Amino acid sequence: MTGAVTRSTGKRERARRYLLHERPDGSLVEVDVHIPPQAQRAVLLDNGMGAPHEYWDWLCGALPEDMGYVRFNRPGYGLSTPDTTYGLEPHFELLQELRDTYIADLPVVLAGHSLGGYFVAAYAALHPDAAKGVTQVVMIDATEVVSLRHSRRTDVDRWSHQRMLMEQVFAATGLSVFRPAMNTNQQYRPEINRSFTAFLANPRTWAKAHREYRDAMTYPELTDLDCPLTVVTAENNVGDNTLHAGIQARLAVISDRARHHFVEGSDHESILAVRPHAAEVAKLIAGEPPSESLGQSWQPSTTGSRIAEGSMEREEELA
């Protein structure tokens, strides 16, 4: 069913496989699988819009030895065959197929960044029996589709549309190699940076991203999730941080076993691209899932200590 290219660069990567997963229809999905013999659990990782699976590199390296992972490029990204279908159900089917093929009966965490955060939560909430065996869902600075839908035809929407078209042109002309739209600070390992740059320099990446952006505006709001949920939010983002914090807080109420965690000093990209931030997120993925609801007296958690002024500002923002 699959063709594989295997590389080994150390102890942790002995069970790591880079695959082109062949689907029943003959299409291929680029997959990075690490399920070591001692694995007691695994995490299935879903990328953000316009991002490759290499985006998870620091996080995967910070996972404990007993936790495997599967990360992949959605159809149309990287080496994955472009798809011809629309809507959520084809993506749910792919997630289920990857679970069945590589994770089998291991307990699994579903984790996604940005639009991938919505995808994994929607899969667990809407796809039949998907929540079975899921120990928790982790939404990392995830897309909230109602807010996205409300931005339609606003200046934000027009700029997003124009930016993706511009990036597609830059990629087609080769200019994106000199001014990448993402990973501009080259904070990954050199081989990951090179792969990331090549990914962004492919015009197909931006065509796919633009389609996902438009499709996401049609996705349903999530209201009920029958498994533990961790919402991880970047503290510093472009635009209104207070509004962003409020939108993220709404995501956490869909489960009665939930927590909301801020990663101090991170933004939407650096929450995974900066190694200490990624390690903080990995700890949440591998740790004990939440067992209680947020409650009326909820306050977001962090692993850092704030000075008094910073704490007061955050409380005012969230009020």
Side-chain angles (χ1 to χ4, degrees):
M1 282 292 291
T2 59
V5 177
T6 305
R7 293 185 297 179
S8 178
T9 58
K11 180 179 178 181
R12 176 143 181 100
E13 303 215 355
R14 287 176 187 168
R16 185 173 183 178
R17 294 178 293 162
Y18 298 88
L19 307 172
L20 286 177
H21 170 82
E22 184 176 354
R23 307 197 67 193
D25 64 0
S27 63
L28 302 175
V29 174
E30 187 179 3
V31 185
D32 181 0
V33 179
H34 175 75
I35 308 291
Q38 71 273 26
Q40 300 296 311
R41 53 201 172 133
V43 57
L44 179 58
L45 300 163
D46 209 338
N47 311 335
M49 183 177 65
H53 70 70
E54 286 91 344
Y55 203 54
W56 299 100
D57 193 64
W58 289 136
L59 184 144
C60 289
L63 293 173
E65 293 292 334
D66 71 342
M67 191 168 203
Y69 65 79
V70 176
R71 65 194 203 196
F72 65 100
N73 282 335
R74 291 193 291 276
Y77 285 134
L79 300 178
S80 297
T81 305
D83 58 355
T84 57
T85 54
Y86 294 83
L88 289 174
E89 196 57 39
H91 189 64
F92 294 165
E93 291 173 359
L94 174 58
L95 290 175
Q96 188 64 50
E97 187 178 321
L98 294 176
R99 280 182 69 182
D100 291 343
T101 303
Y102 302 108
I103 297 174
D105 295 328
L106 286 176
V108 64
V109 174
L110 302 173
H113 172 251
S114 194
L115 185 58
Y118 173 84
F119 279 147
V120 294
Y123 163 67
L126 303 176
H127 194 60
D129 298 323
K132 183 179 180 180
V134 174
T135 59
Q136 71 166 324
V137 171
V138 181
M139 303 176 75
I140 305 163
D141 219 45
T143 299
E144 202 275 323
V145 294
V146 174
S147 300
L148 183 63
R149 194 152 51 239
H150 287 167
S151 73
R152 188 78 185 263
R153 297 187 178 88
T154 65
D155 287 343
V156 172
D157 179 42
R158 283 188 284 271
W159 168 242
S160 297
H161 173 78
Q162 182 180 358
R163 176 177 176 269
M164 281 182 275
L165 290 178
M166 289 169 56
E167 293 299 339
Q168 192 171 356
V169 172
F170 291 151
T173 57
L175 295 176
S176 60
V177 173
F178 303 102
R179 48 152 311 284
M182 299 170 63
N183 196 33
T184 54
N185 295 318
Q186 300 282 291
Q187 295 170 110
Y188 291 100
R189 294 178 291 120
E191 61 268 31
I192 299 298
N193 288 329
R194 289 192 294 270
S195 180
F196 209 146
T197 300
F199 177 88
L200 297 174
N202 188 337
R204 195 177 75 178
T205 295
W206 297 101
K208 170 69 174 180
H210 186 258
R211 178 177 148 185
E212 285 193 327
Y213 174 72
R214 287 303 184 204
D215 285 352
M217 291 187 174
T218 69
Y219 294 157
E221 179 183 7
L222 301 180
T223 59
D224 186 38
L225 179 65
D226 189 23
C227 58
L229 171 65
T230 296
V231 173
V232 186
T233 298
E235 186 184 40
N236 297 311
N237 277 280
V238 175
D240 190 330
N241 278 328
T242 305
L243 178 62
H244 180 68
I247 290 171
Q248 290 281 297
R250 289 206 300 267
L251 295 173
V253 302
I254 66 174
S255 172
D256 60 5
R257 290 166 288 168
R259 66 180 161 213
H260 187 187
H261 181 90
F262 280 90
V263 177
E264 293 187 78
S266 68
D267 58 32
H268 188 69
E269 181 175 328
S270 71
I271 198 169
L272 293 179
V274 172
R275 194 171 188 174
H277 295 337
E280 187 172 328
V281 179
K283 187 175 180 180
L284 292 167
I285 288 173
E288 287 294 319
S291 59
E292 299 178 352
S293 64
L294 291 177
Q296 296 298 316
S297 60
W298 164 82
Q299 287 293 324
S301 62
T302 64
T303 57
S305 59
R306 300 180 186 278
I307 59 172
E309 182 180 357
S311 298
M312 186 177 301
E313 288 175 353
R314 173 56 69 194
E315 289 174 4
E316 290 174 354
E317 286 180 357
L318 295 171

